[in-house]
């Protein structure tokens, strides 16, 4: 419950399947929430959405969230969005192309050229090379296939912020990373983009997350219910917003977002260098670094393999299969991005028993093993990993899966009371003029801490190492990461 006129900050999360809006007080109470579904089009490596659908869904979600919130209580709004999703717009912000989504890999043929032109910058930034789903290769594809006289690049959040303010806006550094922004210089690498034929006037200016971009215009106020004049603040990618929404922003803290896919994001004083090119670092509003990576493995395997099933019942039955007889690498699309880069990787299940509960347990455990391998890879790179670990995303609603992940990782996990990127966006909305870590600490509450069961952690070592060996044998996992995983397990 909140006071009638208590100040609130609005966070809007543009996800793959829905838009979510939260109105949040300074102490973290939710004064209102709203959501609307999104749909997309998938065809092989292509994944598109209609940007106009985003705006329609944002308007409906915000109106729902603000239904019982007095206009004078709304202090600011910020938007987070999927990382690497882009489109071209005209001067008025109207879409000229569909949106190429975060996991669209149609631009794979442009990656070599991108990495040849920008390799020195990418190495300086620690991620070594761009991947097929990143935004810069997709931008080259768009420029090749669509007339672009007078066009403008827009990231997903840029498109919405442009509609909110009624004028062109800067892109936040977080979303601009995969488009090639130099996060050290906080500028576009002009020589690289010129070599790639990207017109300079196509690109938006850059700002850090948490920077004011403008104010809600009259048309946007009518569409969303946000009061005209409400400050619009630069947001972040959904992974970075999820990290901010955990309230854990000390060095060595990590957030693991498990939804359709698995995304890890941490906090470091120093830029993490990854010679294998799977860890990349965003820049936090306070100038520190947010290293992390996004796996293609996640709960999407459950949606695919167990549609319409009673998941709570399957959780209870899976608890009798620790470890499962089957060993699963639950990859849904082709290709892995983290903790190793393998475009030809495919999911697999070994030694299946045709027992539904065991198969379900194998998927839950397989995701846990990949999560553990992510931390082994981060440790290999020297990234600080010893702080708090929070679990967020849709999978955090399963208490059993959270317990299982704590057991497999052998470390406590923290469950925030309100675990979602929209809360992190609300933190950013409240950040201008304040310390973002202190702001997040006040706005985020802990629901529970789950400790690993001492008798269980060792039970999962053998199947974990078997999966490591299988991934290495297939040529997907680098020998260095595999050896480090074995060494850490033997400690």
């Amino acid at each position: 419950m909140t006071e009638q006129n208590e100040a609130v900050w609005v966070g809007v999360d543009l996800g793959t399947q829905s838009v979510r809006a939260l109105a949040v007080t300074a102490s973290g109470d939710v004064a209102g929430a709203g959501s609307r579904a999104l749909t997309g089009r998938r065809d092989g490596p292509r994944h598109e959405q209609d940007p106009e659908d985003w705006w329609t869904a944002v308007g409906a979600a915000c109106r729902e969230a603000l239904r019982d919130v007095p206009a004078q209580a709304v202090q600011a709004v910020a938007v987070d969005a999927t990382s690497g999703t882009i489109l071209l717009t005209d001067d008025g912000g109207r879409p000229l192309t569909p949106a190429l989504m975060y996991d669209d890999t149609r631009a794979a043929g442009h990656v070599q050229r991108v990495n040849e032109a920008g390799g020195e910058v990418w190495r300086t930034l620690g991620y070594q090379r761009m991947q097929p789903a990143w935004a810069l290769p997709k931008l080259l594809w768009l420029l090749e296939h669509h007339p672009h006289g007078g066009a403008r690049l827009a990231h997903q959040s840029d498109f919405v912020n442009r509609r909110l303010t009624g004028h062109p806006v800067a892109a936040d550094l977080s979303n601009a990373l995969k488009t090639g922004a130099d996060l050290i210089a906080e500028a576009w690498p002009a020589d690289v983009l010129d070599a790639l034929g990207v017109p300079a006037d196509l690109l938006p200016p850059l700002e850090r997350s948490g920077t004011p971009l403008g104010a809600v215009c009259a048309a946007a106020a009518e569409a969303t219910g946000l009061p005209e004049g409400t400050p619009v603040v630069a947001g972040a990618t959904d992974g970075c917003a999820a990290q901010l929404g955990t309230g854990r922003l000390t060095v060595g803290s990590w957030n693991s977002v498990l939804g359709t896919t698995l995304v890890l994001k941490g906090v470091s004083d120093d830029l993490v260098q990854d010679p294998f090119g799977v860890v990349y670092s965003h820049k936090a509003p306070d100038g520190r670094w947010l290293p992390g990576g996004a796996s293609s493995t996640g709960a999407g395997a459950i949606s695919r393999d167990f549609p319409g099933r009673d998941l709570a019942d399957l959780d209870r039955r899976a608890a009798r299969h620790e470890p499962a007889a089957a060993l699963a690498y639950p990859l849904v699309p082709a290709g892995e991005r983290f903790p190793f880069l393998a475009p030809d990787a495919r999911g697999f299940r070994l030694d299946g028993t045709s027992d539904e509960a065991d198969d379900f347990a194998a998927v839950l455990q397989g995701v846990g093993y990949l999560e553990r391998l992510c931390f082994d890879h981060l440790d290999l790179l020297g990234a600080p990993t010893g702080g708090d670990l929070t679990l967020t995303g849709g999978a955090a609603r399963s208490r059993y899966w959270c317990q299982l992940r704590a057991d497999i990782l052998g470390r406590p996990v923290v469950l925030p009371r309100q675990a979602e990127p929209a809360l992190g966006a609300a933190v950013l909305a409240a950040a201008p003029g304040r310390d973002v870590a202190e702001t997040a600490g006040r706005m985020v509450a802990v629901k529970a801490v789950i400790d690993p069961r001492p008798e269980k952690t060792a039970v999962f070592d053998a199947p974990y190492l078997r999966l490591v060996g299988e991934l290495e044998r297939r040529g997907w996992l680098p020998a260095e990461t595999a050896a480090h995983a074995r060494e850490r397990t033997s400690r």
Side-chain angles (χ1 to χ4, degrees):
M1 297 295 292
T2 61
E3 297 293 333
Q4 179 66 20
N5 292 312
E6 188 174 1
V8 301
W9 289 264
V10 178
V12 178
D13 169 45
L14 287 162
T16 308
Q17 299 180 21
S18 67
V19 171
R20 172 87 164 153
L22 287 182
V24 186
T25 71
S27 59
D29 291 325
V30 176
S35 64
R36 285 297 184 275
L38 292 173
T39 59
R41 301 176 296 277
R42 290 185 182 270
D43 182 13
R46 301 184 176 212
H47 182 194
E48 298 178 352
Q49 288 187 353
D50 183 346
E52 294 292 354
D53 290 346
W54 300 339
W55 180 241
T56 300
V58 166
C62 285
R63 282 196 165 279
E64 184 179 356
L66 297 172
R67 184 174 50 207
D68 299 320
V69 176
Q72 63 270 25
V74 180
Q75 304 299 301
V77 60
V79 178
D80 76 75
T82 55
S83 176
T85 295
I86 60 166
L87 68 146
L88 296 179
T89 73
D90 65 13
D91 283 340
R94 292 173 290 270
L96 296 173
T97 69
L100 275 55
M101 296 299 291
Y102 67 96
D103 57 351
D104 187 303
T105 58
R106 73 181 71 183
H110 292 277
V111 173
Q112 181 176 349
R113 180 169 162 238
V114 164
N115 287 332
E116 288 173 352
E120 183 176 347
V121 176
W122 316 154
R123 285 187 289 274
T124 301
L125 292 172
Y127 56 78
Q128 311 303 319
R129 58 186 177 272
M130 289 201 172
Q131 301 177 22
W134 283 32
L136 184 53
K138 287 186 288 198
L139 175 58
L140 298 188
W141 189 94
L142 285 172
L143 293 177
E144 180 179 75
H145 289 84
H146 295 275
H148 54 272
R152 298 288 183 268
L153 164 71
H155 303 92
Q156 188 176 26
S157 54
D158 301 340
F159 178 82
V160 172
N161 287 334
R162 170 72 171 79
R163 290 288 175 90
L164 285 172
T165 61
H167 60 69
V169 294
D172 68 86
L173 287 169
S174 170
N175 275 291
L177 178 146
K178 291 184 180 179
T179 321
D182 183 338
L183 301 197
I184 297 174
E186 301 190 9
W188 294 110
D191 291 346
V192 173
L193 296 173
D194 183 62
L196 291 171
V198 177
D201 60 2
L202 184 91
L203 303 169
L206 298 173
E207 293 284 1
R208 286 187 185 181
S209 298
T211 302
L213 298 176
V216 173
C217 67
E222 177 67 24
T224 65
L226 291 161
E228 184 177 357
T230 299
V232 178
V233 178
T237 65
D238 50 2
C240 290
Q243 175 72 19
L244 292 166
T246 69
R248 299 300 191 270
L249 297 178
T250 56
V251 171
S253 295
W254 288 81
N255 180 46
S256 183
V257 188
L258 180 51
T260 304
T261 58
L262 174 69
V263 179
L264 266 64
K265 189 70 66 179
V267 183
S268 174
D269 280 332
D270 302 312
L271 184 60
V272 174
Q273 299 283 338
D274 183 4
F276 303 95
V278 296
V279 172
Y280 51 91
S281 297
H282 290 279
K283 204 165 196 177
D286 60 6
R288 288 185 295 178
W289 295 96
L290 303 175
S295 172
S296 297
T297 305
I302 294 175
S303 302
R304 179 194 64 188
D305 297 340
F306 303 92
R309 298 308 310 276
D310 183 342
L311 298 184
D313 177 63
L314 285 173
D315 275 355
R316 288 189 292 270
R317 293 163 57 197
R320 299 193 291 269
H321 298 265
E322 295 182 349
L327 181 71
Y329 173 42
L331 185 67
V332 176
E336 183 59 278
R337 302 173 290 164
F338 178 60
F340 52 89
L341 182 61
D344 58 339
R346 301 292 186 273
F348 59 78
R349 185 175 65 212
L350 306 178
D351 301 336
T353 63
S354 299
D355 181 327
E356 182 183 56
D358 191 82
D359 289 345
F360 186 75
V363 171
L364 300 186
Q365 293 166 27
V367 173
Y369 298 149
L370 257 291
E371 188 173 38
R372 177 168 164 176
L373 187 57
C374 290
F375 279 107
D376 282 345
H377 183 73
L378 290 164
D379 186 74
L380 173 66
L381 302 180
T385 60
D388 288 344
L389 171 61
T390 55
L391 303 185
T392 61
R397 291 192 291 268
S398 168
R399 183 63 177 246
Y400 172 68
W401 204 356
C402 292
Q403 179 66 69
L404 183 66
R405 291 161 68 189
D407 295 340
I408 291 172
L409 292 168
R411 62 188 293 179
V413 297
V414 179
L415 304 183
R417 184 179 67 189
Q418 190 74 34
E420 55 182 302
L423 176 56
V427 169
L428 285 172
R434 301 178 176 90
D435 181 276
V436 68
E438 292 180 2
T439 301
R442 288 193 299 269
M443 294 178 75
V444 180
V446 172
K447 179 174 68 176
V449 177
I450 301 176
D451 291 313
R453 296 170 289 180
E455 74 279 8
K456 289 291 185 178
T457 297
V459 166
F460 297 107
D461 286 350
Y464 169 63
L465 292 179
R466 184 186 176 204
L467 181 62
V468 168
E470 189 66 31
L471 295 170
E472 182 184 24
R473 184 187 69 78
R474 294 175 185 234
W476 303 334
L477 180 66
E480 295 89 339
T481 302
H484 194 68
R486 295 186 184 101
E487 191 274 328
R488 288 192 87 201
T489 300
S490 68
R491 291 177 189 173

